[in-house]
Amino acid sequence: MSHPHPELGPPPPLPEGALRIVALGGLGEIGRNMAVFEFDGRLLVVDCGVLFPEAEQPGIDLILPDFDYIRDRLDDIEAVILTHGHEDHIGAVPYLLRERRNIPVVGSKLTLALLEAKLTEHRIQPVKVEVAEEQRRAFGPFDCEFLAVNHSIPDALAVAVRTPAGIVLHTGDFRMDQLPSDGRLTDLGGFARLGREGVDLLMSDSTNAEVPGFVTSEREIGPVIDEVVRTSSKRVIVASFASHIHRVQQVIDAAERHGRKVALIGRSMVRNMGVARDLGYLRIPPGLVVDSKEIEGWPPDEVVLICTGSQGEPMAALSRMANRDHPIRVAEGDTVLLASSLVPGNETAVTRVINGLTRWGARVVHKGNAKVHVSGHAAAGELLYVLNLTRPSNFMPVHGEWRHLRAHAKLAALTGVPDDHIVIAEDGVVVDLVDGRARITGAVQAGYVYVDGTSVGDVTEFALKDRRILGEEGFISVVIVVDSNTGKVTAGPEIHARGSGIDPDRFDEVLPQVEKALQENAADGVVDIQQIRRVVRRTVGSWVSNTYRRRPMIIPVIVEV
């Protein structure tokens, strides 16, 4: 198996007739999916998604792929193909289109509609190219064929990219539900046909590669949701991804059967379900859905609320309800249904929300105590099935953390793909398909780009480190007035602290040490402000560490006179 090396350098020029693939996100992580294909000087982008921040990234709203690799070649991009409408596949498109607004965006009807609703907030009108399964469309030298795949959102597609270098099949996110709620099956016949034609490289979803067998059918969830709604004596509050149209449909159907009104809570939920309803992907009986502002007036046993926040996001509706920071007040006897999978890394946040809801008397039903969700990603049995259908010459697992990629690579080896034809890459690693063989040839920059409010890319890893220190240890400021000619202290030092947990009276112990260090500094003729700051920071930091075993941020404030 090929794998990246920490000392990989820039890739060589792409040989004539070869295909280059660079993932700018989605390898070694769940989210931020983006792959760039290059042939004959032209580029094709498959997906352009976001990653959601974790606890150690305070203040960050979104994490984008790094566009530096293609920033100087934006005019070479033939199109951006979107496999489906989840945020981790379309969320970064607005930021890419800011850099070149007329890049054609290719996707299914629902995917483009969800994207357009998002782009409206960014005041961008995209150049849309709508495609559907069983269609074939050329974008420059890339001949693309689209195949239906079943996923946890309607209208998902796989794409086969044909160039003179060979056929690459990118499955997108998929599963093989044989009884999907919308009746739309993964096109296994199409996969098999491509396999007979000859798949030179298979890029396949790895999220559930460690899970044995096959995923449960979506239809098995409906009766469980129905039972929850039927047996609940008061309100039912359902938290789901704002794009999980299948799940929302099941909740709406259960509410209708048991005579309950439905209210949608949360801007993204209202927006996405409005789009799905208008396009016919969501069936809502007349009069069933009411405005969330009216729902408080209905008897509790006649109400179902559908909201966002199933991952414990602090600003989502469900978290705010748990914290008593939302107009809807969770009460004794309410039932809360978490109808989604748990994204890795969100366990603590979700547990906190469950505890908060339970505190107010709610019964919380979740994947851990009831079958209220099935994964949208193929398990190992399904992945083996696809590998055997397509019989790829080369294999590259995508969309997953390292453990998922490794597990998927082992499955490929079991089906007969030679070890030296299995490429395990990470973000930024360059894979070239030359003469029917996929190999790692180098690496490019593919770091995190942070979105914080309206700023994009301004927050660095160093800034995040400072935020973590401030949040965990607090800060100490030391104010000193010095003579700019001699470096001697003319006033101060004064020490102030916030969040450090140190008694202000204890600073009297360190003041003499600071004064002595500054006097020695001035005696040596040092007038450089940065050097004075370093002396202050080192002296105060050493005292705090020795006395309290803490490492707060030390901020020297030097005023020159």
Side-chain angles (χ1 to χ4, degrees):
M1 299 179 189
S2 298
H3 58 84
H5 189 280
E7 296 180 0
L8 279 174
L14 184 62
E16 184 176 351
L19 176 69
R20 174 163 289 172
I21 301 166
V22 182
L24 298 182
L27 300 186
E29 61 193 359
I30 304 290
R32 214 169 60 113
N33 297 282
M34 183 176 182
V36 180
F37 292 68
E38 179 180 354
F39 184 84
D40 195 23
R42 306 302 293 173
L43 303 178
L44 180 74
V45 177
V46 176
D47 289 327
C48 188
V50 297
L51 183 67
F52 293 102
E54 297 181 356
E56 62 268 20
Q57 295 154 335
I60 299 303
D61 300 314
L62 297 170
I63 304 172
L64 309 178
D66 188 341
F67 299 146
D68 274 359
Y69 173 64
I70 58 174
R71 185 162 276 119
D72 294 336
R73 303 185 58 189
L74 294 172
D75 290 338
D76 295 337
I77 300 176
E78 296 287 351
V80 176
I81 293 176
L82 303 177
T83 58
H84 62 281
H86 279 151
E87 285 293 303
D88 59 337
H89 291 257
I90 70 170
V93 173
Y95 300 93
L96 180 60
L97 294 187
R98 284 183 187 182
E99 311 218 6
R100 181 189 151 200
R101 291 186 172 237
N102 65 343
I103 300 175
V105 182
V106 184
S108 64
K109 180 189 295 186
L110 177 63
T111 302
L112 292 180
L114 293 174
L115 175 68
E116 189 166 24
K118 174 185 292 293
L119 288 173
T120 299
E121 299 176 5
H122 292 258
R123 299 179 181 177
I124 296 174
Q125 183 62 42
V127 178
K128 298 184 298 181
V129 180
E130 184 179 317
V131 294
E133 59 262 32
E134 300 181 9
Q135 288 186 353
R136 197 162 163 174
R137 185 96 181 235
F139 303 95
F142 306 98
D143 180 7
C144 300
E145 179 182 353
F146 300 93
L147 302 95
V149 291
N150 180 257
H151 188 40
S152 55
I153 187 172
D155 250 8
L157 296 169
V159 57
V161 180
R162 290 178 171 86
T163 66
I167 298 175
V168 178
L169 174 58
H170 193 305
T171 66
D173 289 358
F174 80 101
R175 64 184 173 193
M176 286 167 48
D177 189 344
Q178 298 303 294
L179 295 170
S181 56
D182 62 357
R184 189 171 179 269
L185 297 163
T186 293
D187 187 1
L188 299 180
F191 284 6
R193 174 177 47 78
L194 286 168
R196 290 191 296 273
E197 186 176 343
V199 173
D200 295 279
L201 176 63
L202 173 63
M203 301 172 66
S204 184
D205 175 12
S206 306
T207 310
N208 273 348
E210 292 183 309
V211 179
F214 286 63
V215 296
T216 305
S217 173
E218 191 78 39
R219 291 198 183 186
E220 293 191 24
I221 306 303
V224 181
I225 292 175
D226 188 89
E227 180 69 8
V228 169
V229 175
R230 184 184 68 80
T231 59
S232 299
S233 59
K234 292 189 177 180
R235 289 181 302 186
V236 177
I237 302 170
V238 180
S240 175
F241 291 120
S243 56
H244 205 330
I245 296 166
H246 297 317
R247 189 70 71 249
V248 172
Q249 184 68 66
Q250 289 172 318
V251 175
I252 286 174
D253 292 345
E256 181 190 20
R257 279 192 294 270
H258 300 290
R260 291 178 180 252
K261 296 291 184 180
V262 173
L264 302 174
I265 312 294
R267 184 178 64 172
S268 58
M269 180 67 73
V270 171
R271 179 190 67 198
N272 288 358
M273 294 311 130
V275 169
R277 180 197 59 220
D278 293 344
L279 295 180
Y281 293 95
L282 187 68
R283 301 175 301 281
I284 303 178
L288 184 73
V289 174
V290 298
D291 191 281
S292 59
K293 296 176 182 177
E294 304 174 16
I295 206 71
E296 287 293 323
W298 288 85
D301 61 346
E302 297 180 14
V303 169
V304 173
L305 309 176
I306 306 176
C307 67
T308 55
S310 62
Q311 298 303 306
E313 305 95 315
M315 296 308 295
L318 192 65
S319 295
R320 293 172 57 203
M321 291 178 198
N323 295 328
R324 279 290 198 261
D325 184 30
H326 195 278
I328 294 171
R329 314 286 279 187
V330 174
E332 186 79 32
D334 287 345
T335 298
V336 178
L337 174 61
L338 301 182
S340 66
S341 61
L342 187 58
V343 174
N346 293 344
E347 295 87 353
T348 301
V350 172
T351 299
R352 188 181 302 118
V353 169
I354 291 173
N355 282 327
L357 295 167
T358 306
R359 176 187 179 191
W360 307 120
R363 174 173 71 111
V364 182
V365 181
H366 53 87
K367 190 178 180 183
N369 58 26
K371 191 178 284 294
V372 292
H373 181 75
V374 295
S375 176
H377 302 272
E382 297 157 84
L383 298 177
L384 285 169
Y385 205 103
V386 169
L387 282 159
N388 284 324
L389 279 177
T390 57
R391 289 291 174 186
S393 301
N394 301 272
F395 176 69
M396 179 176 170
V398 296
H399 196 289
E401 298 174 346
W402 271 102
R403 59 196 176 99
H404 306 128
L405 303 181
R406 293 280 186 189
H408 204 173
K410 289 179 180 178
L411 294 177
L414 289 174
T415 64
V417 181
D419 281 354
D420 58 352
H421 287 239
I422 298 173
V423 178
I424 303 177
E426 61 184 330
D427 296 342
V429 168
V430 178
V431 178
D432 289 347
L433 182 62
V434 184
D435 297 329
R437 180 76 178 275
R439 290 185 176 90
I440 289 173
T441 59
V444 301
Q445 179 177 321
Y448 283 179
V449 175
Y450 297 108
V451 178
D452 183 358
T454 58
S455 106
V456 179
D458 294 335
V459 177
T460 64
E461 292 290 348
F462 292 109
L464 284 181
K465 181 180 178 181
D466 287 347
R467 289 183 182 184
R468 287 192 290 269
I469 293 172
L470 286 169
E472 295 167 3
E473 303 281 357
F475 76 92
I476 296 173
S477 64
V478 185
V479 183
I480 302 169
V481 180
V482 301
D483 187 311
S484 60
N485 294 317
T486 66
K488 292 183 178 180
V489 176
T490 60
E494 292 182 8
I495 301 181
H496 307 274
R498 290 289 185 275
S500 66
I502 299 174
D503 184 347
D505 293 338
R506 294 293 302 276
F507 289 128
D508 291 341
E509 299 175 14
V510 74
L511 284 174
Q513 299 177 36
V514 177
E515 292 168 353
K516 180 182 178 182
L518 291 172
Q519 288 170 2
E520 294 174 350
N521 215 47
D524 291 338
V526 176
V527 296
D528 179 64
I529 295 300
Q530 293 302 324
Q531 175 65 17
I532 294 173
R533 285 198 179 101
R534 282 194 289 270
V535 168
V536 172
R537 188 179 292 114
R538 184 170 58 247
T539 304
V540 175
S542 178
W543 174 80
V544 173
S545 177
N546 292 334
T547 307
Y548 290 95
R549 296 293 186 267
R550 296 177 190 168
R551 297 176 63 89
M553 181 175 289
I554 312 296
I555 306 176
V557 180
I558 311 299
V559 180
E560 293 183 274
V561 294

